[in-house]
Amino acid sequence: VSTMNAKAISEGEEEASGMRNETLEESGSLGEAKRRQAILVAYLIAALDLTFLFMQMGIMPYLAKNLGLDSVGFGYLQTTFGVLQLVGGYIFGRFADQFGARAALILSCASGSVFFLLMSMSTSIPLLFLSRLPGVFMHGIPGAQKVITDMTTPSQRADALGKLGLCFGIAIITGSALGGVLSTKFGIFVPTYIGLVGSLINILIAVVWIPLQTKPKSEHSTSQSGSLFSIREILRLMKFPGVKEVFLVKVFAGLPIGLFMIMFSIISMEFFGLEAVESGYLMSYFGVLQMVVQGLIVGKLAKHCTEMTLLRLSVFIFASVGLGMALMRTVWHYCIIAVPLVFAFSMLATITDSILTKAVPSSDTGAMLGICASVQPLTRTVGPTIGGVLYKQFGVPSFGYLQLVVNIGLFFYLLKSKIPLREMKS
């Protein structure tokens, strides 16, 4: 009898064990489905957010002109927005670390709502400047990057982050086109109304479909509390192996082309002789290139090559692009150069973000993404002054020569230096 009882108990335990395994498998598959859903929703929010932003960028020069703002004043307006984004990038990242990626996305979308509301009421120059203030927390891309970083493994990260380029490409094409059509047919403030409603919808999407906690349970609440802005915390992150070196490469490799892109509206008119419509077509061409490169190429290369190899490759191509820019004379030359340019730009941004988020603890990935996001606003802040001097004093080829010299120097630095890259474990 005891033998039969033991056998029955053993069979019961095996059955219960099998049921537990099935439950765990179902739970794992359910968790994977929710993870994929959250990442797709992050892509959607980023695409909509950028579309609304490009819509307002298209009408901003005309709105400023209608209010009597000259080119110098418009430059101040752009610089104001750049400074606010520069200051807010790191604070936003720290907020994401302390309160979660969903809260950060909601903050970004809510700030966008206030931004478009104030812009729709801008009937004077002071109100137009006031509408820039919410830009301090408008960081849709870093918010989406935070969700993706939290919900992917290090080996999946570069591919997943690279696909955000699809969102950027779609936004350039649809945002630029919609902004022009809506403002022309229905009035200059209509794109701002669309942006306001769309940002409110984004808040609802984030609340419903982004999980309250995007990090694994073992990684919760390891972020250091305290002030959202701390120079000491920034310096602490820079002390992790390889972080300072890779971040400086990120800043300086993209700086010359950043200066060129800031001056591009003037260069397209004066150097290439393009009309506004033709400039719009050129921007759409850039959007398509970015969609192809970041959506299809970056992820595949990231699976077959080391990140340091891809970083060196992007810097080398940047140097080659610089030589092409120094020699270009027509817009057709620029269209050819744009292919390797977009590839290098996309690869540099994706790979450096991936390397840097792996090099710091998981509790600091938001802060690191915020620091990375501040690079572009920094360029927008100093760019009009430096770019204006280069263009007026030395012409368009000066941007190419600067690109060539800086990136050749960085390429040899990356070849010779032993940057200590390693992944932080939670």
Side-chain angles (χ1 to χ4, degrees):
V1 176
S2 61
T3 305
M4 291 175 63
N5 287 340
K7 186 176 180 181
I9 291 169
S10 176
E11 288 176 354
E13 286 178 348
E14 286 177 5
E15 185 179 350
S17 177
M19 290 175 66
R20 279 197 300 270
N21 288 338
E22 288 177 9
T23 304
L24 285 171
E25 286 175 7
E26 289 174 6
S27 175
S29 62
L30 182 62
E32 178 68 15
K34 286 185 176 180
R35 184 186 67 82
R36 289 180 179 176
Q37 176 184 280
I39 292 173
L40 288 174
V41 169
Y43 288 143
L44 174 63
I45 291 174
L48 291 173
D49 184 76
L50 287 170
T51 299
F52 304 143
L53 201 59
F54 278 110
M55 283 170 58
Q56 69 86 28
M57 285 172 65
I59 66 167
M60 181 55 66
Y62 303 99
L63 178 58
K65 186 177 179 181
N66 288 348
L67 296 176
L69 198 64
D70 59 14
S71 58
V72 176
F74 185 69
Y76 289 146
L77 186 69
Q78 298 291 80
T79 301
T80 300
F81 188 71
V83 170
L84 288 168
Q85 289 253 295
L86 176 62
V87 172
Y90 173 73
I91 298 175
F92 181 85
R94 287 277 291 164
F95 180 90
D97 282 333
Q98 293 189 20
F99 300 99
R102 186 173 81 169
L105 272 177
I106 292 171
L107 174 64
S108 175
C109 297
S111 300
S113 301
V114 178
F115 173 86
F116 287 112
L117 176 64
L118 291 174
M119 192 174 168
S120 68
M121 299 163 57
S122 296
T123 53
S124 64
I125 292 174
L127 279 175
L128 189 60
F129 272 88
L130 183 65
S131 71
R132 305 293 96 180
L133 286 179
V136 70
F137 293 126
M138 287 174 61
H139 297 279
I141 285 290
Q145 287 176 326
K146 175 63 175 168
V147 174
I148 293 165
T149 300
D150 285 350
M151 305 195 79
T152 54
T153 61
S155 60
Q156 299 169 329
R157 191 166 300 167
D159 184 23
L161 289 173
K163 286 184 170 62
L164 275 172
L166 279 170
C167 305
F168 197 87
I170 291 169
I172 288 179
I173 297 168
T174 57
S176 302
L178 280 174
V181 171
L182 291 172
S183 60
T184 303
K185 290 192 173 182
F186 304 105
I188 199 165
F189 286 111
V190 170
T192 64
Y193 303 146
I194 302 293
L196 170 59
V197 174
S199 296
L200 292 173
I201 292 173
N202 266 350
I203 294 174
L204 184 61
I205 293 172
V207 169
V208 174
W209 281 293
I210 299 292
L212 182 61
Q213 292 292 349
T214 52
K215 289 183 180 179
K217 290 183 180 180
S218 60
E219 300 175 14
H220 287 177
S221 303
T222 55
S223 177
Q224 296 185 20
S225 58
S227 172
L228 287 177
F229 185 82
S230 170
I231 298 296
R232 184 180 298 174
E233 282 295 297
I234 296 174
L235 295 176
R236 180 180 67 85
L237 293 178
M238 290 297 159
K239 288 178 182 176
F240 285 106
V243 170
K244 179 176 64 177
E245 294 87 344
V246 173
F247 181 72
L248 289 176
V249 170
K250 180 183 183 72
V251 172
F252 287 109
L255 180 61
I257 194 64
L259 299 177
F260 175 82
M261 294 308 295
I262 284 170
M263 299 300 298
F264 186 72
S265 57
I266 295 174
I267 291 171
S268 64
M269 287 188 296
E270 298 182 358
F271 186 77
F272 294 134
L274 300 181
E275 299 293 333
V277 175
E278 294 168 329
S279 294
Y281 292 149
L282 195 58
M283 289 302 292
S284 297
Y285 171 64
F286 264 93
V288 171
L289 283 179
Q290 184 141 11
M291 287 171 63
V292 172
V293 169
Q294 286 202 250
L296 303 176
I297 299 175
V298 172
K300 290 183 178 179
L301 285 177
K303 291 177 182 176
H304 295 93
C305 305
T306 65
E307 289 179 330
M308 184 51 67
T309 299
L310 294 176
L311 181 58
R312 292 186 184 119
L313 176 65
S314 62
V315 169
F316 178 77
I317 293 175
F318 255 146
S320 305
V321 167
L323 180 60
M325 287 174 61
L327 299 175
M328 73 177 177
R329 294 294 177 267
T330 68
V331 70
W332 296 110
H333 293 162
Y334 184 61
C335 287
I336 296 170
I337 294 168
V339 177
L341 168 60
V342 170
F343 173 83
F345 193 84
S346 302
M347 183 66 73
L348 179 77
T350 302
I351 294 302
T352 51
D353 285 352
S354 179
I355 291 173
L356 291 170
T357 53
K358 291 177 187 177
V360 299
S362 60
S363 56
D364 291 311
T365 52
M368 194 70 249
L369 287 169
I371 293 171
C372 292
S374 67
V375 173
Q376 193 175 7
L378 174 64
T379 306
R380 283 204 303 265
T381 302
V382 302
T385 303
I386 300 174
V389 170
L390 282 175
Y391 179 64
K392 288 181 181 178
Q393 298 295 325
F394 306 104
V396 171
S398 63
F399 295 98
Y401 288 122
L402 180 63
Q403 179 87 359
L404 175 64
V405 172
V406 168
N407 281 277
I408 282 181
L410 290 174
F411 179 70
F412 283 109
Y413 167 72
L414 289 172
L415 280 180
K416 291 185 176 182
S417 65
K418 300 284 186 181
I419 297 178
L421 294 183
R422 65 187 180 91
E423 293 179 12
M424 287 293 298
K425 303 299 180 185
S426 300

